[in-house]
Amino acid sequence: MGTNMADSLITAEVDFGAEGAQTGFLRVPHSVHRSAYGWVPVPIVVLRNGEGPTVLFIAGNHGDEYEGQIALGKLVRETSAEDIRGRIIILTMANFPAAQAGLRTSPIDQGTLNRTFPGDARGTPTEMIAHYIEEVLMPITDYAIDLHSGGTSLYYPPTLLRGRGHTPQEAEKLKALQTAFDLPYAWVFTGGGGPTTTARTLMGAAGRKGVVSIMTEMGGGGTVTPEILHRAERGLHRTLHALGMLPGYRPDEVRGTRELTVRGSVYAYQAGLFEPYQDIGDAVAKDEIVGMIHHPDTPWQDADPVPSPFDGMVLCKRVLGQVERGDAVFQIAADAESR
Ligand SMILES: [Zn+2]
């Protein structure tokens, strides 16, 4: 890690080795017209108290996904270093320019952080942030938890995403994280991940560095709901407790998780206004018409039916009414083989 870490132009205002609570910024150098020597401030918090695992919490990977940003901020303000065992590293707005703008992508370089790993030490701000997370933070991390939502265009019920694990030990840890987070759904990947993955995602970065990682998709549609925010906060506390890092917390009873594998998305092939026939949790059959695309610019033209290519259940839906060819309107999942 030495050479790669030295390559990064990002400097941290926190000392990852120090005990106690530290707050500050990752300084991402960015020289622009109004600020020749300026830097982009990515907020970072480190809590450390003695021996124990290191957990890296990420939100604002996509800037228009808000539940994680709020939940992690509350965790920072409600938790003191003495409450924990081990080390917690928190990025509430990982792609800060995107999160500041409330956009999926950074307005500075159009970068989508979660499609940019392993990044580039000498690249754009988004590429530099990806490189820093993969080459500086992942090597000191045991567990990475990346909090997402459906963003502006999609909506998910509270769902945990994970791989099956590439060793029996990793599989056991992933299952334990799922049980601890205790969301209604888990999307269990059927492949990918591991040390040889070429995935451009934060999960890919974690896999390459041997870090056990999960993601969540909670809510979306550019808004925040009390129910989903509560699920996020409860999950964070329960997970830290399950890892032995929050001994004073008393978790409530497990509610249970339905494990799913994703079959694929249903796509629009015409531009227009989408009328959904289904909602999240509804069962759909292969070739069933799951909605219609209307053409109010030519109101005498018939609406176009949208068939589902898959059997299963609606896990995720598009929330924006307007569609173009290539937009996903639903994501269809099915019960995973229990394992
Ligand atoms: Zn996201």
Side-chain angles (χ1 to χ4, degrees):
M1 106 182 179
T3 48
N4 280 327
M5 184 169 170
D7 280 348
S8 182
L9 299 175
I10 295 176
T11 54
E13 294 183 346
V14 293
D15 176 355
F16 296 104
E19 293 283 316
Q22 297 176 79
T23 60
F25 300 96
L26 300 177
R27 299 179 174 188
V28 184
H30 187 53
S31 180
V32 292
H33 177 74
R34 54 156 292 277
S35 184
Y37 297 165
W39 36 269
V40 171
V42 178
I44 185 165
V45 177
V46 182
L47 302 177
R48 183 166 194 167
N49 184 23
E51 294 304 305
T54 294
V55 177
L56 172 62
F57 286 115
I58 304 265
N61 181 340
H62 292 134
D64 60 341
E65 303 175 4
Y66 303 118
E67 291 81 355
Q69 298 184 42
I70 294 175
L72 288 181
K74 290 174 85 167
L75 183 73
V76 165
R77 298 190 300 280
E78 291 167 1
T79 310
S80 63
E82 301 81 64
D83 296 333
I84 68 154
R85 303 290 179 270
R87 177 168 57 181
I88 304 174
I89 302 171
I90 296 173
L91 299 179
T92 47
M93 298 170 87
N95 196 0
F96 176 79
Q100 187 183 38
L103 298 172
R104 181 175 179 84
T105 52
S106 170
I108 293 179
D109 54 26
Q110 309 311 316
T112 307
L113 179 58
N114 216 34
R115 302 289 184 274
T116 304
F117 293 91
D120 183 348
R122 294 289 186 274
T124 66
T126 303
E127 290 169 338
M128 283 193 275
I129 292 167
H131 175 269
Y132 190 87
I133 291 173
E134 178 150 348
E135 297 299 337
V136 179
L137 297 184
M138 286 298 176
I140 59 172
T141 294
D142 299 299
Y143 300 93
I145 299 177
D146 189 18
L147 304 171
H148 288 251
S149 81
T152 304
S153 67
L154 301 175
Y155 198 89
Y156 274 93
T159 305
L160 182 134
L161 284 64
R162 68 174 177 91
R164 288 197 183 281
H166 287 74
T167 63
Q169 293 80 2
E170 191 192 4
E172 197 176 307
K173 287 176 178 175
L174 288 167
K175 185 83 179 191
L177 290 176
Q178 174 184 305
T179 303
F181 218 109
D182 196 33
L183 297 179
Y185 297 104
W187 166 1
V188 183
F189 304 142
T190 51
T196 61
T197 181
T198 56
R200 310 297 305 273
T201 59
L202 189 133
M203 269 192 152
R208 287 188 283 279
K209 300 302 181 192
V211 175
V212 177
S213 77
I214 58 170
M215 257 179 82
T216 60
E217 292 283 4
M218 290 183 282
T223 189
V224 176
T225 70
E227 187 249 335
I228 288 185
L229 191 58
H230 170 72
R231 279 286 192 164
E233 293 181 55
R234 175 176 175 268
L236 295 177
H237 286 113
R238 291 177 61 90
T239 301
L240 286 172
H241 179 78
L243 292 171
M245 297 175 69
L246 201 56
Y249 181 73
R250 291 286 162 264
D252 60 2
E253 250 176 59
V254 172
R255 298 177 199 174
T257 301
R258 182 174 170 188
E259 289 189 1
L260 305 168
T261 54
V262 166
R263 293 270 166 89
S265 294
V266 182
Y267 289 100
Y269 271 83
Q270 289 84 23
L273 291 183
F274 181 64
E275 175 197 4
Y277 284 179
Q278 310 287 355
D279 211 333
I280 287 169
D282 289 346
V284 299
K286 186 177 187 308
D287 299 326
E288 180 180 344
I289 304 305
V290 294
M292 300 293 281
I293 295 174
H294 295 266
H295 309 287
D297 56 347
T298 321
W300 47 90
Q301 182 186 330
D302 286 341
D304 293 296
V306 179
S308 172
F310 314 102
D311 283 314
M313 179 203 97
V314 173
L315 175 61
C316 159
K317 66 176 180 182
R318 181 176 174 83
V319 290
L320 299 178
Q322 287 188 319
V323 293
E324 294 178 22
R325 182 174 297 155
D327 288 341
V329 293
F330 287 124
Q331 187 181 49
I332 308 296
D335 284 305
E337 302 160 38
S338 61
R339 182 167 147 181

